[in-house]
Each structure stands twice: as C-alpha cells, then as structure tokens.
Amino acid sequence: MRKPIIAGNWKMYKTPKESLAFVSAFLPLVEGHDRDEILLFPTVTSLASVMEAVAGTNVRAGAQNMHWLNEGAYTGQTSPTMLLSIGCRHVLLGHSEQRMYFNETSERVNLKLKAAISHGMTPIVCVGELLAERENSQTEEVLRTQVRTALHNVSAAEAQRLVIAYEPVWAIGTGATATPEIAAEAHAMIRHELAHCCGSQIAQETRILYGGSVKPENISALMAQQQIDGALVGGASLVPATFAGIVRYR
Ligand code: PEP
C-alpha cells in the first residue's frame, strides 16, 4: 500500500558537471526499477540540469529546501513557484543540518509545508532527536513536538502527499545507523502523532523514511521492518554504484 521511496540527499556536494556525470552512470543501474520511487536531491545549482537529465525516467529530483513565499526580498532563498517552473515537485523540509546550522524551526517548517501542499508539491519533512535527547529518554517528546508543530493546521485532505523522514541526528553522517528495531519504534511514535494530527487513515498511508548512515549493507534489515517505508540517504548516495546498491536492496 505504501510504495517505498529511496531518496539521495547530496547536501552541499557536486557541481552541475559532477551531478550530470552521476546521473549518466546511475540511470542504467536502476533502469526499469519500479518497486521503489527513486529521488535525488542535488544542490540548487545542479537542480535544473538534473531535472532535465532524469525527465522521462524512473528517477525524480527535488530541492533540499525552499522558502514559503513565491517572491520577495529574501536573499539566498528559492521559492515554490521557482521550483515548479523547472518541473520540481519534491522538497526536503526541516533537515537536521538546516535546524542545526541555519536555525531552522518547526514553525517555519510548518509554513513551508503548507506552501508545498498548496502548490501540489510533495514535501519530505525531516524529524529526529539529538543523542542527548535520546539518552535523556526525550525521543518521544521531541518527535511529538516536531511533528505536531510541522503539521499545525494541516488537514487530512492536505496531508495526502506528505512524506516524513525519521533522521536521528546521532546517526547522520556518523556511521552509527539506528538498529532496525530502534528505527521502527520511532516510526511507530511518528505514526501515532500523524494519527493525532490528521487521523488514522493518513497515519496508515503516509510513508515514513529512515535516514542516518544507510548503506548497501544495512538497507535490507531496515526495509524488513513493516514500519519503514524507505530511506533518505546522505553520504552513500554520492556514488552511483553504491546508491544503486541501496535502491536495489533485496
Ligand atoms: C542525510 O543527510 O539526510 C543523511 C541521512 O546522511 P547520511 O546518510 O550520510 O547519514
């Protein structure tokens, strides 16, 4: 019922030329693969050319962030209508690196999420606890606050295309992947919050991805968990063969 998504977040890596070289090498490795949706999130300078390069294939591309307004005096920002103008309909929101280094808040994620929904885009909202929060038994509380704030005043009808990514901050870029059981437990908490915010049908239908040091060696065990509907992959999505190995997990 929930088609898995395998998404690659390239963060601040790859020039347009390097991005296109990745796409040329990657597309043949995943040709015909339709068990999972495949998404790439390049940097903003590569996005338009990657969008063109993947057009008509089984791979889609999205933006790593966006503003909630369509235009204005907001230096350094990209708007929903600008993304739509190049055919981009997927956007990551609230990534922990945005929260940690650029003071992103769940309140702003809420504004961006509503903008994405109103433009018919597919938002992937990232949530996750810090190591200290996990060690202090605050994981459930942190996830509850992040989900409830991001989904404030979002109706069930509006949440149809919503995707959530559970990314425990202690697992991002550290090699310390959450065990499949820890990830599944957090996904169940998030699903519980989705039910609270948007009702049980949305909770059952929304895809929740796991992110944090996903590799070809650990993807199968993660995907074996019924709660886990895909992966958001950082470092291991930068090399075509490695990311294809994750996409083609068994
Ligand atoms: C990410 O950037 O969303 C991520 C999960 O990174 P990594 O796979 O490198 O831990």
Side-chain angles (χ1 to χ4, degrees), residues 128-171:
E129 80 287 0
L130 304 170
L131 181 60
E133 292 167 337
R134 174 159 286 272
E135 288 175 345
N136 288 332
S137 307
Q138 292 172 308
T139 300
E140 188 162 10
E141 183 188 327
V142 169
L143 296 177
R144 181 186 308 126
T145 305
Q146 289 179 343
V147 171
R148 286 193 188 183
T149 311
L151 289 180
H152 182 65
N153 278 343
V154 173
S155 69
E158 290 169 327
Q160 299 288 331
R161 275 185 307 278
L162 173 69
V163 177
I164 304 269
Y166 168 61
E167 298 210 303
V169 180
W170 46 271

Side-chain angles (χ1 to χ4, degrees), residues 5-74:
I5 298 175
I6 307 293
N9 170 19
W10 290 354
K11 312 192 186 211
M12 199 172 72
Y13 292 100
K14 295 191 188 296
T15 62
K17 194 171 164 195
E18 290 164 346
S19 302
L20 290 178
F22 176 103
V23 173
S24 305
F26 179 66
L27 286 179
L29 301 178
V30 297
E31 195 180 349
H33 184 96
D34 74 351
R35 177 192 58 188
D36 313 87
E37 283 182 28
I38 309 169
L39 294 173
L40 297 174
F41 289 89
T43 62
V44 78
T45 49
S46 295
L47 185 55
S49 45
V50 169
M51 289 294 311
E52 271 181 41
V54 302
T57 74
N58 55 340
V59 176
R60 301 273 170 277
Q64 295 178 12
N65 193 13
M66 71 174 192
H67 199 279
W68 58 93
L69 295 175
N70 289 340
E71 59 181 9
Y74 299 102

